[in-house]
């Protein structure tokens, strides 16, 4: 499954024209289960059943002779349909198929799950490859396909909740993702950031909002309060070291 996700993200980073709002995809086990259920039906047409957990699921499916294709071959074939997709016109060339491509590169489809199933049809053994995407793509308005993504510099139109820009060595452009550090701060070398509270937990001997202050560990006339990283001085003494 990691290879399928990596391949999707790699291909999504390579669209032309360049995408400004293409989101990074993640694997979803529930979608994989739904893809398996769909594959068992041995039909390449998407299912229009209602799934309570998902408002709209997109589907890609491919049927081939058993043992002829790998999943990577199938995904590459879906992406190859892009050569027939006319982005500026928002449509496919006449007599060509593009809907697998447009779903694969639908910018807001951020989760997927896939499955393979052997099928017996007409006394022949086949393999069907199915991927389920959420949120689903290939939306139409007044009978016209909505363009699958917005063009521009990669990651330039990411939403505020996905302001991170994911890019690997084999990617040609960045993909929008939930930032690894949504707090947009660092605790330096002497602390660990809690991304939930956006606060630093400092190493022993350091304090401050960013763990940038070294504590006074020497309390001449007092005792060291570790939780506050300071000295509690005896009566008559004061200062950082209770001198």
């Amino acid at each position: 499954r990691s290879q399928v996700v990596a391949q999707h993200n790699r291909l999504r980073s390579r669209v032309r024209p360049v995408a400004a709002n293409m989101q990074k995809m993640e694997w979803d086990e529930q979608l994989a289960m739904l893809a398996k259920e769909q594959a068992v039906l041995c039909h390449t047409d998407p299912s229009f059943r209602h799934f309570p957990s998902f408002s709209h699921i997109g589907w890609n499916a491919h049927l081939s002779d058993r043992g002829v294709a790998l999943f990577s071959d199938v995904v590459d074939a879906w992406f190859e349909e892009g050569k027939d997709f006319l982005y500026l016109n928002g449509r496919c060339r006449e007599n060509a198929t593009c809907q697998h491509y447009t779903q694969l590169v639908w910018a807001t489809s951020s989760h997927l799950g896939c499955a393979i199933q052997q099928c017996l049809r007409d006394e022949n053994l086949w393999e069907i490859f199915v991927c389920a995407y959420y949120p689903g793509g290939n939306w139409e308005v007044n009978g016209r396909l909505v363009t699958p993504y917005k063009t521009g510099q990669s990651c330039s139109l990411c939403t505020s909740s996905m302001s991170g820009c994911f890019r690997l060595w084999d990617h040609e452009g960045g993909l929008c993702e939930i930032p690894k550090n949504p707090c947009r701060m660092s605790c330096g070398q002497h602390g660990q950031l809690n991304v939930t509270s956006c606060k630093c937990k400092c190493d022993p001997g350091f304090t401050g909002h960013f763990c940038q202050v070294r504590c006074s560990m020497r309390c001449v006339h007092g005792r060291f309060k570790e939780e506050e990283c300071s000295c509690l001085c005896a009566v008559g003494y004061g200062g950082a070291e209770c001198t």
Side-chain angles (χ1 to χ4, degrees), residues 97 175 228:
T97 299
L175 303 173
E228 296 181 8

Side-chain angles (χ1 to χ4, degrees), residues 78-149:
W78 291 340
F79 188 74
E80 278 298 307
E81 292 179 4
K83 68 181 185 299
D84 292 317
F85 182 68
L86 307 174
Y87 181 89
L88 294 179
N89 296 327
R91 60 182 178 84
C92 199
R93 296 184 193 276
E94 191 173 356
N95 299 323
T97 299
C98 297
Q99 72 267 22
H100 302 101
Y101 167 78
T102 50
Q103 174 55 81
L104 194 157
V105 302
W106 200 267
T108 55
S109 293
S110 56
H111 291 78
L112 82 157
C114 303
I116 307 174
Q117 176 70 33
Q118 291 188 3
C119 300
L120 184 63
R121 297 179 63 174
D122 301 325
E123 298 183 355
N124 293 318
L125 201 56
W126 302 74
E127 278 183 326
I128 189 167
F129 301 80
V130 179
C131 283
Y133 302 85
Y134 183 80
N138 287 335
W139 287 92
E140 292 185 356
V141 175
N142 297 325
R144 187 182 181 89
L145 180 71
V146 177
T147 50
Y149 60 87

Side-chain angles (χ1 to χ4, degrees), residues 109-194:
S109 293
S110 56
H111 291 78
L112 82 157
C114 303
I116 307 174
Q117 176 70 33
Q118 291 188 3
C119 300
L120 184 63
R121 297 179 63 174
D122 301 325
E123 298 183 355
N124 293 318
L125 201 56
W126 302 74
E127 278 183 326
I128 189 167
F129 301 80
V130 179
C131 283
Y133 302 85
Y134 183 80
N138 287 335
W139 287 92
E140 292 185 356
V141 175
N142 297 325
R144 187 182 181 89
L145 180 71
V146 177
T147 50
Y149 60 87
K150 297 178 181 178
T151 61
Q153 183 178 348
S154 61
C155 293
S156 61
L157 293 178
C158 296
T159 62
S160 58
S161 63
M162 301 192 74
S163 58
C165 191
F166 176 77
R167 185 170 185 172
L168 295 180
W169 66 271
D170 57 350
H171 288 194
E172 294 184 12
L175 303 173
C176 304
E177 69 167 347
I178 297 174
K180 295 292 188 295
N181 182 358
C183 306
R184 298 185 180 276
M185 60 179 283
S186 170
C187 299
Q189 299 179 348
H190 306 294
Q192 291 78 43
L193 177 65
N194 183 323

